[in-house]
Amino acid sequence: MTTPSAQPPMRASNEATEEQLAVARRQGQAYTNAVRAMAEEEGAVSRRAGDYLVAFVNEEAEGMYELSDGELFWREAAPEANVHLEVAVADAADGRFVPGLDVQIAVSRDGRPVVAAGLPFLWHPFLHHYGGNAAVPGPGPYDVTVRIAPPEFMRHDPVNGRRYAAPVEVRFDQVTFANGRKTSPDARPRGTDAPTIDADGAGRGDWTDRAATARTSDDPRARTPHDAAGVPSTGPW
């Protein structure tokens, strides 16, 4: 069940004037506009829950750059990945993106777990979000549950700092998933494939531990799991 919505404080204090709070709202409006554009382009759905506005969207699986030993390496979406899951979290009062959260996602179909994992923060040129690639058995529809733990970062302001103190759960039911994989063959230099999350959590177990030590995509440790016929493994389905 989705946590009932609340209204975080947004009042002038010894830490923030009305003019400064207005600046924060304008920042939030820009992020809100990006979420609305994502809704129009990719079908993002939003819910109010607790002190947050939470949006969920899914796209084709995609690669990303990761910093390793001071150098950026492109990590292509793994062959078995067929969806990219994104969760955008904004403050319900000012609309600004909320960083530093512990965001967990659980995806099920007909009551059966399909994906369960924590989603890290991902920088994006259009919409900052928490997300990751996953392997799912077809377009669904799926039931999606997002859980957000109370963050441990400190909060400025004796009036407005009283927010994000309770865990939040958000439900998105009967969501159809994109099934596909976006490749970026020209990205350089290339590293191992990006991790793929599944019903057991993040990353295909001990394969990701091996892959994390591989620096290049031709390292045997970077090869995704395959079955006896040489077909990339897609997990327990």
Side-chain angles (χ1 to χ4, degrees), residues 36-48:
R36 288 174 178 168
M38 185 66 77
E40 294 174 359
E41 295 172 10
E42 303 292 345
V45 287
S46 301
R47 300 279 188 276
R48 288 283 297 267

Side-chain angles (χ1 to χ4, degrees), residues 192-193 206-225:
T192 61
D193 289 341
D206 61 354
W207 167 72
T208 51
D209 297 332
R210 297 194 306 270
T213 65
R215 290 294 304 275
T216 61
S217 58
D218 58 357
D219 188 313
R221 292 170 294 179
R223 187 172 184 266
T224 54

Side-chain angles (χ1 to χ4, degrees), residues 105-178:
I105 192 168
V107 178
S108 63
R109 186 173 69 176
D110 299 325
R112 181 183 180 189
V114 176
V115 169
L119 297 180
F121 166 73
L122 298 178
W123 183 92
H124 192 278
F126 175 58
L127 184 76
H128 289 348
H129 62 271
Y130 300 89
N133 291 334
V136 298
Y142 298 97
D143 295 327
V144 179
T145 301
V146 175
R147 297 182 177 90
I148 304 171
E152 297 183 0
F153 56 70
M154 298 182 76
R155 295 116 162 107
H156 276 290
D157 197 313
V159 174
N160 299 299
R162 298 182 65 83
R163 66 212 309 124
Y164 317 146
V168 167
E169 180 172 301
V170 191
R171 284 287 301 263
F172 302 95
D173 293 333
Q174 297 296 290
V175 181
T176 300
F177 280 11

Side-chain angles (χ1 to χ4, degrees), residues 5-231:
S5 63
Q7 184 61 37
M10 196 74 175
R11 303 192 303 273
S13 69
N14 66 352
E15 189 69 28
T17 65
E18 288 289 358
E19 290 77 12
Q20 290 170 332
L21 294 176
V23 171
R25 290 188 182 95
R26 289 196 292 273
Q27 294 175 39
Q29 186 59 55
Y31 190 72
T32 298
N33 291 342
V35 173
R36 288 174 178 168
M38 185 66 77
E40 294 174 359
E41 295 172 10
E42 303 292 345
V45 287
S46 301
R47 300 279 188 276
R48 288 283 297 267
D51 290 337
Y52 305 109
L53 175 65
V54 181
F56 173 74
V57 66
N58 68 92
E59 303 175 313
E60 293 183 341
E62 55 192 318
M64 288 159 277
Y65 278 110
E66 182 178 49
L67 190 67
S68 177
D69 294 333
E71 186 174 0
L72 289 171
F73 286 85
W74 182 258
R75 302 189 68 181
E76 196 76 277
E80 73 273 12
N82 61 356
V83 68
H84 182 73
L85 307 176
E86 301 184 6
V87 174
V89 185
D91 184 279
D94 61 33
R96 294 186 297 174
F97 175 76
V98 184
L101 296 176
D102 177 358
V103 176
Q104 304 286 325
I105 192 168
V107 178
S108 63
R109 186 173 69 176
D110 299 325
R112 181 183 180 189
V114 176
V115 169
L119 297 180
F121 166 73
L122 298 178
W123 183 92
H124 192 278
F126 175 58
L127 184 76
H128 289 348
H129 62 271
Y130 300 89
N133 291 334
V136 298
Y142 298 97
D143 295 327
V144 179
T145 301
V146 175
R147 297 182 177 90
I148 304 171
E152 297 183 0
F153 56 70
M154 298 182 76
R155 295 116 162 107
H156 276 290
D157 197 313
V159 174
N160 299 299
R162 298 182 65 83
R163 66 212 309 124
Y164 317 146
V168 167
E169 180 172 301
V170 191
R171 284 287 301 263
F172 302 95
D173 293 333
Q174 297 296 290
V175 181
T176 300
F177 280 11
N179 275 187
R181 179 172 170 267
K182 185 192 305 180
T183 60
S184 299
D186 296 328
R188 294 288 187 277
R190 302 182 77 82
T192 61
D193 289 341
T196 304
I197 56 179
D198 59 20
D200 297 322
R204 302 285 178 208
D206 61 354
W207 167 72
T208 51
D209 297 332
R210 297 194 306 270
T213 65
R215 290 294 304 275
T216 61
S217 58
D218 58 357
D219 188 313
R221 292 170 294 179
R223 187 172 184 266
T224 54
H226 286 61
D227 62 20
V231 177

